[in-house]
């Protein structure tokens, strides 16, 4: 489904030339969930940005990304737009960043579906209501007519998930989709996401700093540090027998409530800090 080989990303800007990603290789099979786990600044979001071709200005990208048979780094214009509209869907950390604050929720869902699937206004409205029910929202007519500020973060993230699964993409990208939510809501939203993607047979590339959370919903996990993948394995193996010291550090830094061990900071610098 997705194959990333030796992906490199460097950015040239006021701070000089910074290597952000170094030879990142990972793959996601059809219907598989892969966790991309690492501390903040390790390059997880940049990997997703390369995949969607939305890397920052001044970027140079190398390597090969193959998505559903397409050579992503060679795509441009209409083929790239089609790939973004049909093969993948992204669920970001902050739903407010994707929802228009001055438009009701129905506009977000219906316009997305009318663009991508050519549905009539009525058909899009019916489908939007179905999708909101699918992601566990009640009183869907009220939700459809609400503005983003009238709904909780958990409800908004469900709306974004509904929008993401609407076009039945083959691959869902989720970048820390529950980090901004309270703990109970996090679990609910993660369960909905997991449930929807299994039911619909979608692959998932799940970015998180939380190894336990990734272990709970992913078939395999790739551990990232300073722009490199240091280890890839199944959750049990990473937990019980990590090959890389950094994976062990990530586990030891988990909150005491989960692991019974005290918090330990994960040492390490982000690539741009090294530059300074
Ligand atoms: N627009 C940018 N220009 C230059 N460097 C950036 C930019 N955005 C992020 N970075 C740097 O790229 C590195 C990886 O960032 P990111 O992929 O966002 O990390 P993560 O998602 O793992 O927290 C970090 O060192 C970050 O400071
Ligand atoms: Mg990030």
């Amino acid at each position: 489904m997705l194959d990333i080989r030796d992906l490199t990303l460097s950015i040239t800007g006021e701070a000089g030339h910074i290597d952000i990603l170094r030879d990142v290789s990972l793959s996601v099979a059809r219907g598989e969930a892969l966790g991309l786990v690492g501390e903040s600044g390790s390059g997880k979001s940049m990997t997703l940005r390369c995949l969607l071709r939305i890397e920052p200005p001044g970027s140079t990208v190398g390597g090969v990304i193959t998505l559903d048979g397409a050579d992503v780094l060679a795509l441009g214009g209409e083929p790239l737009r089609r790939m973004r509209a049909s093969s993948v869907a992204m669920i970001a950390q902050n739903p407010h960043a994707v929802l228009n604050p001055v438009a009701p929720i129905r506009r977000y869902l219906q316009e997305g579906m009318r663009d991508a699937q050519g549905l009539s206004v009525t058909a899009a409205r019916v489908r939007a209501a179905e999708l909101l029910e699918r992601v566990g929202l009640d009183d869907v007519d009220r939700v459809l007519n609400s503005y983003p500020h009238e709904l909780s973060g958990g409800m908004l993230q469900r709306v974004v998930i509904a929008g993401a699964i609407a076009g039945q993409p083959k691959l869902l990208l989720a970048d820390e989709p529950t980090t901004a939510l309270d703990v109970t809501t996090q679990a609910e939203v993660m369960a909905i996401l997991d449930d929807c993607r299994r039911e619909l047979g979608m692959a998932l590339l799940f970015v998180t700093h939380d190894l336990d959370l990734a272990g709970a919903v992913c078939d395999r996990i790739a551990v990232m540090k300073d722009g490199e993948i240091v280890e890839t394995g199944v959750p049990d193996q990473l937990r019980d027998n990590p090959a890389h010291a950094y994976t062990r550090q990530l586990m030891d830094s988990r909150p005491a409530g989960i692991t019974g061990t005290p918090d330990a900071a994960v040492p390490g610098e982000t690539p741009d800090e090294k530059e300074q």
Side-chain angles (χ1 to χ4, degrees), residues 145-212:
N145 289 316
S146 299
Y147 289 82
H149 73 268
E150 297 174 310
L151 302 176
S152 70
M155 293 172 90
L156 293 178
Q157 205 58 309
R158 286 171 198 249
V159 168
V160 173
I161 293 171
I165 64 173
Q168 309 242 351
K170 293 172 181 137
L171 175 66
L172 284 175
L173 307 174
D175 192 350
E176 310 258 13
T178 62
T179 307
L181 306 174
D182 69 74
V183 175
T184 317
T185 314
Q186 274 185 9
E188 287 167 7
V189 169
M190 206 58 226
I192 292 282
L193 176 58
D194 190 39
D195 205 46
C196 287
R197 76 124 200 127
R198 280 175 200 274
E199 185 187 301
L200 299 169
M202 296 169 185
L204 172 69
L205 178 52
F206 173 45
V207 163
T208 176
H209 60 273
D210 187 333
L211 200 52
D212 283 313

